[in-house]
C-alpha cells in the first residue's frame, strides 16, 4: 500500500471518533505492510485524557506484537501528534511517523516543537507531514465548525 492508502485507513479511524462525538483523529501502526494497531480518539467516550488515537494504536500494536519495542514499525496519524503522543511514539521506538494535518497549536513533530526529532533523546523518529493534509484538515475543521454552531445561543 502507498502512504496515501495507509493515511486513508487512519482517516477511517478518525471517522469512528465522530460516532462517539470525539475529535476526529485516527491512527494506525504498520509493520511489514500489515496494520498491527489501530486507534481513534476516545477521550470523551472513555472519560480518559490519555485516550488519544496514537496511544490507543500503540497499545494495540504492542499487544499484538508482544513487545513495547516497535522499532521497525511506522505510524500514520491524521493530525500532527501532541507532546504526550510524541513522547509515546519516541518511547515505543517507532521508526517512521507520517501525519496528515499540521497542528499549529499543539503539534510536537515540527509545528510548535519537534520532540520526535530532538537529538537529545535516545530515539529519533523520521517524520513526514502533510500526507492527505486537505482531507485530514477538513475532518477537523468540519467537526469544530459544527461544535461552534451547536453552542450558539438564540
Amino acid at each position: 500500500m502507498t502512504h496515501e492508502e495507509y493515511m486513508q485507513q487512519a482517516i477511517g479511524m478518525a471517522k469512528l471518533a465522530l460516532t462517539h462525538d470525539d475529535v476526529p483523529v485516527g491512527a494506525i501502526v504498520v509493520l511489514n505492510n500489515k496494520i498491527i494497531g489501530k486507534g481513534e480518539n476516545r477521550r470523551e467516550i472513555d472519560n480518559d485524557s490519555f485516550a488519544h488515537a496514537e496511544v490507543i494504536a500503540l497499545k494495540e500494536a504492542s499487544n499484538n506484537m508482544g513487545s513495547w519495542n516497535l522499532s521497525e514499525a511506522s505510524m500514520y496519524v491524521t493530525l500532527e501528534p501532541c507532546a504526550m503522543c510524541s513522547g509515546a511514539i519516541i518511547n515505543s521506538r517507532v521508526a517512521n511517523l507520517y501525519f496528515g494535518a499540521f497542528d499549529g497549536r499543539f503539534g510536537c513533530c515540527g509545528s510548535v516543537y519537534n520532540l520526535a526529532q530532538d537529538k537529545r533523546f535516545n530515539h529519533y523518529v523520521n517524520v513526514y507531514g502533510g500526507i492527505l493534509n486537505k482531507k485530514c484538515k477538513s475532518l477537523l475543521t468540519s467537526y469544530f465548525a459544527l461544535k461552534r454552531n451547536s453552542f450558539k445561543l438564540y
Side-chain angles (χ1 to χ4, degrees):
M1 288 176 70
T2 66
H3 296 303
E4 289 79 13
E5 290 170 322
Y6 283 126
M7 189 60 72
Q8 280 294 134
Q9 296 291 313
I11 289 170
M13 295 306 298
K15 289 178 179 177
L16 282 178
L18 290 171
T19 66
H20 43 81
D21 200 24
D22 270 286
V23 176
V25 177
I28 63 167
V29 180
V30 176
L31 179 66
N32 298 325
N33 299 315
K34 181 181 176 200
I35 297 172
I36 60 169
K38 296 179 185 180
E40 83 269 12
N41 268 1
R42 298 185 54 86
R43 289 187 317 168
E44 299 299 328
I45 195 169
D46 291 351
N47 233 2
D48 181 354
S49 60
F50 299 105
H52 287 209
E54 298 93 327
V55 172
I56 292 166
L58 289 168
K59 282 182 181 181
E60 185 175 290
S62 292
N63 287 338
N64 286 336
M65 298 311 297
S67 175
W68 62 268
N69 189 326
L70 302 172
S71 61
E72 301 296 319
S74 295
M75 174 173 266
Y76 292 80
V77 61
T78 57
L79 179 64
E80 180 182 355
C82 67
M84 176 184 72
C85 293
S86 297
I89 290 164
I90 292 165
N91 284 311
S92 296
R93 307 294 192 266
V94 170
N96 303 296
L97 170 68
Y98 302 91
F99 69 84
F102 291 85
D103 187 347
R105 290 183 60 208
F106 302 107
C108 283
C109 292
S111 291
V112 175
Y113 189 72
N114 197 345
L115 282 173
Q117 295 185 317
D118 190 322
K119 301 265 187 200
R120 293 173 289 183
F121 293 118
N122 67 339
H123 181 69
Y124 182 91
V125 181
N126 298 307
V127 177
Y128 309 92
I131 297 170
L132 297 183
N133 176 47
K134 286 182 183 179
K135 281 188 175 188
C136 295
K137 188 175 182 179
S138 174
L139 265 175
L140 292 159
T141 54
S142 297
Y143 173 79
F144 286 113
L146 281 170
K147 285 297 213 187
R148 278 191 299 279
N149 288 334
S150 69
F151 288 119
K152 284 186 180 178
L153 297 175
Y154 295 95

